[in-house]
Amino acid sequence: MKLPTANGDSVSTLGARMRRQRHRLSLTLQQLGEASGVSVGYLSQVERGRATPSLGTLSQIAVALQVEVSFFIHTPKTQDSLTRADERQRFAVSGSSIEYEKLGADFPGHELSSYIMNVPPGYASEEVVHEGEEVIYILEGEIVQVVDGGEHIMRPGDSLHYLGSSPHSWSNKTDKPARMLWVGRMQYDLAAGANRIRPNEGALATAFASSRP
């Protein structure tokens, strides 16, 4: 099945859209890095098509660029809060090998997002730091989650709840696919007068990190 991806067919397309929007706002990479909480080096790699951000990182970049995540990726609109296993919306960030299955609904005022993440063998995320919190639950396979320097080998039935402010990353170091449930907050607001990300306390706040996703 062909998955919907970023508004283009390659990582370079995602990077080009990011660069154009940054230039439109007259932001330097340094300013974008300060506003998004993502390192300048990593932002540069994304713009040049040499790195693919996770959904959580992409959300932080999108807020700093004053656009929705859908500016970079396409996800079908949820009609109601019920999802069937064989009809679930699936998508991927362009250039990434991670396949997301959307579980949550986009009803007004919602704060949580949830996804099933299908993780191929050998996948390793970047390390991230962000506002909010996350819960992951392993459905199949084995995931190594690193939070604040501590490594946790997680297998089916294991779960972990942690703050996004703790540096975290994860990987599938095995030769078999893994599936995990992720629940958290993904959309953030720029704090007034400060170059940092904070939870949107009044409306939508949803997300991933450490694949953030």
Side-chain angles (χ1 to χ4, degrees):
M1 176 180 65
K2 183 177 178 57
L3 298 174
T5 59
N7 296 325
D9 297 322
S10 67
V11 182
S12 59
T13 300
L14 187 157
R17 291 178 65 82
M18 176 177 152
R19 184 185 302 109
R20 284 197 298 270
Q21 180 65 6
R22 178 171 64 81
H23 288 171
R24 189 179 73 80
L25 297 176
S26 299
L27 293 175
T28 64
L29 278 174
Q30 182 66 40
Q31 290 171 322
L32 178 57
E34 292 173 352
S36 65
V38 180
S39 73
V40 172
Y42 189 74
L43 291 172
S44 177
Q45 290 184 47
V46 173
E47 285 197 352
R48 289 180 292 165
R50 296 182 179 178
T52 301
S54 66
L55 193 57
T57 296
L58 198 57
S59 177
Q60 293 176 239
I61 294 171
V63 170
L65 291 177
Q66 301 176 27
V67 296
E68 299 291 335
V69 176
S70 57
F71 180 80
F72 300 105
I73 63 175
H74 168 70
T75 59
K77 293 295 183 182
T78 303
Q79 299 303 313
D80 54 42
S81 58
L82 174 66
T83 63
R84 302 291 187 186
D86 58 347
E87 300 175 354
R88 189 168 294 134
Q89 299 172 6
R90 295 170 180 250
F91 66 95
V93 175
S94 181
S96 174
S97 55
I98 297 292
E99 179 185 287
Y100 296 87
E101 299 178 35
K102 186 174 182 180
L103 301 179
D106 295 327
F107 53 81
H110 78 95
E111 294 188 347
L112 292 178
S113 288
S114 57
Y115 301 90
I116 289 177
M117 301 175 62
N118 296 282
V119 188
Y123 180 88
S125 79
E126 70 270 33
E127 182 179 86
V128 296
V129 177
H130 58 85
E131 297 294 336
E133 56 190 301
E134 303 176 11
V135 176
I136 60 173
Y137 179 89
I138 308 304
L139 299 170
E140 299 175 15
E142 180 179 290
I143 291 292
V144 176
Q145 181 81 31
V146 178
V147 179
D148 207 17
E151 183 175 287
H152 308 277
I153 300 176
M154 303 179 64
R155 299 183 177 89
D158 293 343
S159 66
L160 187 64
H161 185 182
Y162 53 91
L163 294 174
S165 57
S166 299
H168 53 281
S169 63
W170 55 276
S171 60
N172 178 0
K173 297 183 178 181
T174 75
D175 58 359
K176 297 180 180 179
R179 297 179 81 229
M180 68 178 183
L181 170 66
W182 177 89
V183 179
R185 303 164 70 94
M186 188 169 65
Q187 294 180 359
Y188 306 89
D189 275 344
L190 289 176
N195 291 321
R196 59 184 294 273
I197 301 295
R198 69 177 181 184
N200 181 336
E201 298 173 354
L204 299 179
T206 42
F208 190 29
S210 182
S211 134
R212 267 112 315 324

